[in-house]
Amino acid sequence: MASLSADLFYDILKRLDAAALARAGCACADFRAISNEEDLWENACTSLWPSTRRDDVRSLIVSVGGFRKFYADCFTLILNKDVPVVQTNESNFFAEEWAESDCYYYDDMDELENSLPSDFISLIDVWYKDRALYSKVIWGIPNSDSANGWFYNYPFRIDLFQHSAENNENNNGEVSLSTINDLPSVPSMEQERKDGKLWRELNDGIKLSWIIVNRKMKRAVNLTSWHPLSGQRHWPTDTDFVLRFGSVLPAKEVLPCQVAECILLMKFRVTSMGSEEAGEPSTLALTELSMQMEDMGGVHLNGRCSLLLLKEALSCHRSRNYDEVLESCNLYLKAQSELKEEKIRSECRFDTLCIFSGITIFAAICTMCYRKF
């Protein structure tokens, strides 16, 4: 090893992916010195995230700390184990508090001045079986002009395909999958309903990265779960497939329930059934890719709270262990389901009480009338 030149070391290390590069840096002093080179980390980032190849994005990453820091921030996923437990006894009042959509903190506009919509840049990449399918960069949050106060008070949502055609040179505004991309053929939707082969391939093959960079705070975070957390077949039409990605965000200073969910929805639609005999491929088109925020009660959060959540996410705990991240997401979904069930039980108890009270009042009135006459 001592006889090898630094140039040869560099040539060896530039062929490694980021994980192997980090491990190589722990092997010896020479590898450690060369593995700190920004060019190596830039190569690792551009190989993983095609959206980072743009010159303006490169300048952004350099300004917020460099490619090595960017990789460390964005390859790891958000891990939030602080999901509150829903009590299922009759004296529990937390469920009612969590379901209140107007129970938000931080009404002071000074806090929002540190989290302006123009400070957040989105880097979005979609893969199918390790092949880059779609890349997009959004500077600022669309339709968030502070002069129009509606953004801070209305439900927060970023919909890529309302803003995709102008910057998507590679895809020309159209993103599609077909049997040419190893997508299984779909002879008919009736057959797909029976075997679900196309649905399984989508769940296993699709991968999403949605990175938020705050240039003022000089931090970045990946809001996705890489692979789908859940999905729905044939919704809302027979030919639609919805995939749901996301993460559980800390909200201790924003919401009473202390946590919220960043929901990333991806929708594909079957545009052509194709025919194996005629050599025509089955084709799917990506028709929706969006972000929104929800509290534990399922209420869509407004722009004010969503900006504060994005700011909190930039400094939250993260993990490289995907199974651990997935477990925390499932823990949140379980608590959310229990909250909805507790709310339904509370409503049933209230309805029963109203019915019993009505019957009692009616019986009392009948008794009074009987005695009077």
PDB file of all heavy atoms in Angstrom, residues 5-6 21 35 54 74 109 122 145 156 187 200 210 231 239 252 275 282 298 304 324 347 351 353 362:
ATOM      1  N   SER A   5       0.727   5.314  -5.439  1.00  0.00           N
ATOM      2  CA  SER A   5       0.686   6.778  -5.499  1.00  0.00           C
ATOM      3  C   SER A   5      -0.694   7.285  -5.088  1.00  0.00           C
ATOM      4  O   SER A   5      -1.689   6.549  -5.092  1.00  0.00           O
ATOM      5  CB  SER A   5       0.994   7.255  -6.918  1.00  0.00           C
ATOM      6  OG  SER A   5      -0.025   6.833  -7.813  1.00  0.00           O
ATOM      7  N   ALA A   6      -0.754   8.571  -4.746  1.00  0.00           N
ATOM      8  CA  ALA A   6      -2.032   9.200  -4.368  1.00  0.00           C
ATOM      9  C   ALA A   6      -3.013   9.198  -5.536  1.00  0.00           C
ATOM     10  O   ALA A   6      -4.219   9.049  -5.351  1.00  0.00           O
ATOM     11  CB  ALA A   6      -1.773  10.625  -3.879  1.00  0.00           C
ATOM     12  N   LEU A  21     -17.177   4.256   0.039  1.00  0.00           N
ATOM     13  CA  LEU A  21     -16.201   5.336   0.178  1.00  0.00           C
ATOM     14  C   LEU A  21     -16.020   5.716   1.645  1.00  0.00           C
ATOM     15  O   LEU A  21     -14.895   5.941   2.113  1.00  0.00           O
ATOM     16  CB  LEU A  21     -16.663   6.545  -0.632  1.00  0.00           C
ATOM     17  CG  LEU A  21     -15.764   7.784  -0.618  1.00  0.00           C
ATOM     18  CD1 LEU A  21     -14.389   7.456  -1.187  1.00  0.00           C
ATOM     19  CD2 LEU A  21     -16.412   8.909  -1.418  1.00  0.00           C
ATOM     20  N   SER A  35     -10.365  10.320   0.792  1.00  0.00           N
ATOM     21  CA  SER A  35     -11.826  10.167   0.816  1.00  0.00           C
ATOM     22  C   SER A  35     -12.535  11.446   1.226  1.00  0.00           C
ATOM     23  O   SER A  35     -13.748  11.544   1.089  1.00  0.00           O
ATOM     24  CB  SER A  35     -12.223   9.037   1.775  1.00  0.00           C
ATOM     25  OG  SER A  35     -11.880   9.357   3.115  1.00  0.00           O
ATOM     26  N   ARG A  54     -27.304  19.383 -12.094  1.00  0.00           N
ATOM     27  CA  ARG A  54     -27.471  20.728 -12.642  1.00  0.00           C
ATOM     28  C   ARG A  54     -26.467  21.692 -12.009  1.00  0.00           C
ATOM     29  O   ARG A  54     -26.127  21.580 -10.833  1.00  0.00           O
ATOM     30  CB  ARG A  54     -28.899  21.225 -12.395  1.00  0.00           C
ATOM     31  CG  ARG A  54     -29.937  20.469 -13.176  1.00  0.00           C
ATOM     32  CD  ARG A  54     -31.353  20.863 -12.834  1.00  0.00           C
ATOM     33  NE  ARG A  54     -31.541  22.279 -12.536  1.00  0.00           N
ATOM     34  CZ  ARG A  54     -32.721  22.893 -12.626  1.00  0.00           C
ATOM     35  NH1 ARG A  54     -33.791  22.212 -13.011  1.00  0.00           N
ATOM     36  NH2 ARG A  54     -32.833  24.159 -12.309  1.00  0.00           N
ATOM     37  N   CYS A  74     -28.832  13.618   3.564  1.00  0.00           N
ATOM     38  CA  CYS A  74     -29.955  13.188   2.716  1.00  0.00           C
ATOM     39  C   CYS A  74     -30.021  11.694   2.450  1.00  0.00           C
ATOM     40  O   CYS A  74     -31.074  11.196   2.032  1.00  0.00           O
ATOM     41  CB  CYS A  74     -29.914  13.933   1.385  1.00  0.00           C
ATOM     42  SG  CYS A  74     -29.992  15.720   1.577  1.00  0.00           S
ATOM     43  N   MET A 109     -45.651  36.026  13.748  1.00  0.00           N
ATOM     44  CA  MET A 109     -45.110  36.050  12.396  1.00  0.00           C
ATOM     45  C   MET A 109     -43.593  36.145  12.385  1.00  0.00           C
ATOM     46  O   MET A 109     -42.958  35.850  11.375  1.00  0.00           O
ATOM     47  CB  MET A 109     -45.716  37.231  11.624  1.00  0.00           C
ATOM     48  CG  MET A 109     -47.185  37.065  11.274  1.00  0.00           C
ATOM     49  SD  MET A 109     -47.487  35.611  10.230  1.00  0.00           S
ATOM     50  CE  MET A 109     -46.637  36.089   8.752  1.00  0.00           C
ATOM     51  N   SER A 122     -36.696  22.125  -3.471  1.00  0.00           N
ATOM     52  CA  SER A 122     -37.025  20.699  -3.551  1.00  0.00           C
ATOM     53  C   SER A 122     -36.219  20.034  -4.659  1.00  0.00           C
ATOM     54  O   SER A 122     -36.189  20.535  -5.795  1.00  0.00           O
ATOM     55  CB  SER A 122     -38.522  20.496  -3.820  1.00  0.00           C
ATOM     56  OG  SER A 122     -39.308  20.959  -2.751  1.00  0.00           O
ATOM     57  N   ASP A 145     -46.717  33.284  -2.748  1.00  0.00           N
ATOM     58  CA  ASP A 145     -46.463  34.718  -2.659  1.00  0.00           C
ATOM     59  C   ASP A 145     -47.027  35.252  -1.349  1.00  0.00           C
ATOM     60  O   ASP A 145     -48.233  35.186  -1.096  1.00  0.00           O
ATOM     61  CB  ASP A 145     -47.123  35.437  -3.842  1.00  0.00           C
ATOM     62  CG  ASP A 145     -46.809  36.928  -3.863  1.00  0.00           C
ATOM     63  OD1 ASP A 145     -46.035  37.369  -2.992  1.00  0.00           O
ATOM     64  OD2 ASP A 145     -47.331  37.625  -4.743  1.00  0.00           O
ATOM     65  N   PHE A 156     -51.684  23.174   2.856  1.00  0.00           N
ATOM     66  CA  PHE A 156     -50.398  23.163   2.167  1.00  0.00           C
ATOM     67  C   PHE A 156     -50.342  21.988   1.190  1.00  0.00           C
ATOM     68  O   PHE A 156     -50.703  20.859   1.528  1.00  0.00           O
ATOM     69  CB  PHE A 156     -49.279  23.027   3.201  1.00  0.00           C
ATOM     70  CG  PHE A 156     -47.913  22.815   2.612  1.00  0.00           C
ATOM     71  CD1 PHE A 156     -47.124  23.888   2.225  1.00  0.00           C
ATOM     72  CD2 PHE A 156     -47.401  21.532   2.466  1.00  0.00           C
ATOM     73  CE1 PHE A 156     -45.858  23.691   1.700  1.00  0.00           C
ATOM     74  CE2 PHE A 156     -46.134  21.324   1.943  1.00  0.00           C
ATOM     75  CZ  PHE A 156     -45.360  22.413   1.556  1.00  0.00           C
ATOM     76  N   PRO A 187     -52.702  -7.950 -19.758  1.00  0.00           N
ATOM     77  CA  PRO A 187     -53.647  -8.333 -20.807  1.00  0.00           C
ATOM     78  C   PRO A 187     -55.006  -7.678 -20.641  1.00  0.00           C
ATOM     79  O   PRO A 187     -55.665  -7.337 -21.610  1.00  0.00           O
ATOM     80  CB  PRO A 187     -53.747  -9.859 -20.666  1.00  0.00           C
ATOM     81  CG  PRO A 187     -53.288 -10.160 -19.276  1.00  0.00           C
ATOM     82  CD  PRO A 187     -52.281  -9.108 -18.948  1.00  0.00           C
ATOM     83  N   ARG A 200     -47.765  -5.372  -7.749  1.00  0.00           N
ATOM     84  CA  ARG A 200     -46.601  -5.834  -6.988  1.00  0.00           C
ATOM     85  C   ARG A 200     -45.308  -5.309  -7.594  1.00  0.00           C
ATOM     86  O   ARG A 200     -44.386  -4.928  -6.865  1.00  0.00           O
ATOM     87  CB  ARG A 200     -46.587  -7.366  -6.921  1.00  0.00           C
ATOM     88  CG  ARG A 200     -47.666  -7.953  -6.022  1.00  0.00           C
ATOM     89  CD  ARG A 200     -47.373  -9.433  -5.741  1.00  0.00           C
ATOM     90  NE  ARG A 200     -47.342 -10.214  -6.958  1.00  0.00           N
ATOM     91  CZ  ARG A 200     -48.410 -10.778  -7.526  1.00  0.00           C
ATOM     92  NH1 ARG A 200     -49.595 -10.627  -6.956  1.00  0.00           N
ATOM     93  NH2 ARG A 200     -48.301 -11.486  -8.622  1.00  0.00           N
ATOM     94  N   TRP A 210     -37.278  12.752  -2.089  1.00  0.00           N
ATOM     95  CA  TRP A 210     -37.749  14.148  -2.106  1.00  0.00           C
ATOM     96  C   TRP A 210     -36.944  14.891  -1.050  1.00  0.00           C
ATOM     97  O   TRP A 210     -37.213  14.808   0.138  1.00  0.00           O
ATOM     98  CB  TRP A 210     -39.244  14.233  -1.818  1.00  0.00           C
ATOM     99  CG  TRP A 210     -39.834  15.605  -2.081  1.00  0.00           C
ATOM    100  CD1 TRP A 210     -39.346  16.792  -1.679  1.00  0.00           C
ATOM    101  CD2 TRP A 210     -41.036  15.889  -2.824  1.00  0.00           C
ATOM    102  NE1 TRP A 210     -40.148  17.816  -2.100  1.00  0.00           N
ATOM    103  CE2 TRP A 210     -41.192  17.303  -2.808  1.00  0.00           C
ATOM    104  CE3 TRP A 210     -41.973  15.091  -3.481  1.00  0.00           C
ATOM    105  CZ2 TRP A 210     -42.278  17.925  -3.427  1.00  0.00           C
ATOM    106  CZ3 TRP A 210     -43.045  15.718  -4.093  1.00  0.00           C
ATOM    107  CH2 TRP A 210     -43.191  17.112  -4.076  1.00  0.00           C
ATOM    108  N   GLY A 231     -50.342   1.824  -0.308  1.00  0.00           N
ATOM    109  CA  GLY A 231     -50.867   2.174  -1.623  1.00  0.00           C
ATOM    110  C   GLY A 231     -52.295   1.708  -1.788  1.00  0.00           C
ATOM    111  O   GLY A 231     -52.880   1.108  -0.884  1.00  0.00           O
ATOM    112  N   THR A 239     -58.170   2.171 -13.650  1.00  0.00           N
ATOM    113  CA  THR A 239     -56.819   2.083 -14.217  1.00  0.00           C
ATOM    114  C   THR A 239     -55.765   2.855 -13.413  1.00  0.00           C
ATOM    115  O   THR A 239     -54.635   3.008 -13.873  1.00  0.00           O
ATOM    116  CB  THR A 239     -56.825   2.622 -15.664  1.00  0.00           C
ATOM    117  OG1 THR A 239     -57.317   3.966 -15.663  1.00  0.00           O
ATOM    118  CG2 THR A 239     -57.710   1.758 -16.552  1.00  0.00           C
ATOM    119  N   LYS A 252     -43.332  19.093  18.167  1.00  0.00           N
ATOM    120  CA  LYS A 252     -43.551  19.364  19.588  1.00  0.00           C
ATOM    121  C   LYS A 252     -43.926  20.818  19.843  1.00  0.00           C
ATOM    122  O   LYS A 252     -44.682  21.107  20.759  1.00  0.00           O
ATOM    123  CB  LYS A 252     -42.290  18.998  20.382  1.00  0.00           C
ATOM    124  CG  LYS A 252     -42.008  17.511  20.432  1.00  0.00           C
ATOM    125  CD  LYS A 252     -40.785  17.197  21.285  1.00  0.00           C
ATOM    126  CE  LYS A 252     -40.535  15.694  21.353  1.00  0.00           C
ATOM    127  NZ  LYS A 252     -39.352  15.358  22.176  1.00  0.00           N
ATOM    128  N   SER A 275     -50.467  -5.324 -26.429  1.00  0.00           N
ATOM    129  CA  SER A 275     -50.763  -6.667 -26.935  1.00  0.00           C
ATOM    130  C   SER A 275     -49.451  -7.393 -27.201  1.00  0.00           C
ATOM    131  O   SER A 275     -48.622  -6.910 -27.985  1.00  0.00           O
ATOM    132  CB  SER A 275     -51.611  -6.590 -28.210  1.00  0.00           C
ATOM    133  OG  SER A 275     -51.740  -7.863 -28.803  1.00  0.00           O
ATOM    134  N   SER A 282     -47.556  -2.584 -22.929  1.00  0.00           N
ATOM    135  CA  SER A 282     -48.458  -1.973 -21.952  1.00  0.00           C
ATOM    136  C   SER A 282     -47.745  -0.749 -21.380  1.00  0.00           C
ATOM    137  O   SER A 282     -46.538  -0.779 -21.148  1.00  0.00           O
ATOM    138  CB  SER A 282     -48.792  -2.958 -20.834  1.00  0.00           C
ATOM    139  OG  SER A 282     -49.404  -4.118 -21.361  1.00  0.00           O
ATOM    140  N   GLY A 298     -55.819  13.379  10.762  1.00  0.00           N
ATOM    141  CA  GLY A 298     -56.068  13.330   9.319  1.00  0.00           C
ATOM    142  C   GLY A 298     -56.395  14.682   8.712  1.00  0.00           C
ATOM    143  O   GLY A 298     -56.836  14.750   7.566  1.00  0.00           O
ATOM    144  N   ARG A 304     -48.735  27.819   7.125  1.00  0.00           N
ATOM    145  CA  ARG A 304     -48.017  28.314   8.288  1.00  0.00           C
ATOM    146  C   ARG A 304     -47.377  27.165   9.068  1.00  0.00           C
ATOM    147  O   ARG A 304     -46.182  27.163   9.363  1.00  0.00           O
ATOM    148  CB  ARG A 304     -48.982  29.090   9.185  1.00  0.00           C
ATOM    149  CG  ARG A 304     -48.343  29.681  10.425  1.00  0.00           C
ATOM    150  CD  ARG A 304     -49.443  30.161  11.383  1.00  0.00           C
ATOM    151  NE  ARG A 304     -50.316  31.111  10.732  1.00  0.00           N
ATOM    152  CZ  ARG A 304     -50.159  32.427  10.768  1.00  0.00           C
ATOM    153  NH1 ARG A 304     -49.132  32.935  11.429  1.00  0.00           N
ATOM    154  NH2 ARG A 304     -50.992  33.232  10.161  1.00  0.00           N
ATOM    155  N   GLU A 324     -35.667   0.245  10.767  1.00  0.00           N
ATOM    156  CA  GLU A 324     -35.984   1.047  11.949  1.00  0.00           C
ATOM    157  C   GLU A 324     -36.887   2.221  11.575  1.00  0.00           C
ATOM    158  O   GLU A 324     -37.838   2.556  12.302  1.00  0.00           O
ATOM    159  CB  GLU A 324     -34.687   1.546  12.581  1.00  0.00           C
ATOM    160  CG  GLU A 324     -34.858   2.177  13.951  1.00  0.00           C
ATOM    161  CD  GLU A 324     -33.528   2.610  14.551  1.00  0.00           C
ATOM    162  OE1 GLU A 324     -32.576   2.850  13.781  1.00  0.00           O
ATOM    163  OE2 GLU A 324     -33.456   2.695  15.788  1.00  0.00           O
ATOM    164  N   GLU A 347     -67.868   9.149  19.721  1.00  0.00           N
ATOM    165  CA  GLU A 347     -69.072   9.606  19.037  1.00  0.00           C
ATOM    166  C   GLU A 347     -70.238   8.658  19.279  1.00  0.00           C
ATOM    167  O   GLU A 347     -71.384   9.095  19.452  1.00  0.00           O
ATOM    168  CB  GLU A 347     -68.796   9.747  17.543  1.00  0.00           C
ATOM    169  CG  GLU A 347     -67.843  10.884  17.201  1.00  0.00           C
ATOM    170  CD  GLU A 347     -67.476  10.917  15.738  1.00  0.00           C
ATOM    171  OE1 GLU A 347     -67.815   9.942  15.024  1.00  0.00           O
ATOM    172  OE2 GLU A 347     -66.852  11.905  15.306  1.00  0.00           O
ATOM    173  N   ASP A 351     -73.690   9.597  20.978  1.00  0.00           N
ATOM    174  CA  ASP A 351     -74.976   9.323  20.321  1.00  0.00           C
ATOM    175  C   ASP A 351     -75.883   8.517  21.234  1.00  0.00           C
ATOM    176  O   ASP A 351     -77.099   8.778  21.316  1.00  0.00           O
ATOM    177  CB  ASP A 351     -74.742   8.570  19.008  1.00  0.00           C
ATOM    178  CG  ASP A 351     -74.068   9.435  17.956  1.00  0.00           C
ATOM    179  OD1 ASP A 351     -74.098  10.669  18.113  1.00  0.00           O
ATOM    180  OD2 ASP A 351     -73.505   8.875  16.994  1.00  0.00           O
ATOM    181  N   LEU A 353     -75.819   8.445  24.496  1.00  0.00           N
ATOM    182  CA  LEU A 353     -76.261   9.341  25.565  1.00  0.00           C
ATOM    183  C   LEU A 353     -77.379  10.254  25.094  1.00  0.00           C
ATOM    184  O   LEU A 353     -78.369  10.486  25.824  1.00  0.00           O
ATOM    185  CB  LEU A 353     -75.071  10.168  26.066  1.00  0.00           C
ATOM    186  CG  LEU A 353     -75.358  11.179  27.192  1.00  0.00           C
ATOM    187  CD1 LEU A 353     -75.867  10.453  28.439  1.00  0.00           C
ATOM    188  CD2 LEU A 353     -74.113  11.991  27.513  1.00  0.00           C
ATOM    189  N   PHE A 362     -88.717  12.342  26.675  1.00  0.00           N
ATOM    190  CA  PHE A 362     -90.007  12.023  26.066  1.00  0.00           C
ATOM    191  C   PHE A 362     -90.908  11.279  27.054  1.00  0.00           C
ATOM    192  O   PHE A 362     -92.112  11.574  27.173  1.00  0.00           O
ATOM    193  CB  PHE A 362     -89.797  11.177  24.814  1.00  0.00           C
ATOM    194  CG  PHE A 362     -91.065  10.766  24.131  1.00  0.00           C
ATOM    195  CD1 PHE A 362     -91.795  11.666  23.374  1.00  0.00           C
ATOM    196  CD2 PHE A 362     -91.551   9.459  24.250  1.00  0.00           C
ATOM    197  CE1 PHE A 362     -92.970  11.287  22.756  1.00  0.00           C
ATOM    198  CE2 PHE A 362     -92.721   9.072  23.642  1.00  0.00           C
ATOM    199  CZ  PHE A 362     -93.435   9.980  22.882  1.00  0.00           C
TER     200      PHE A 362
END
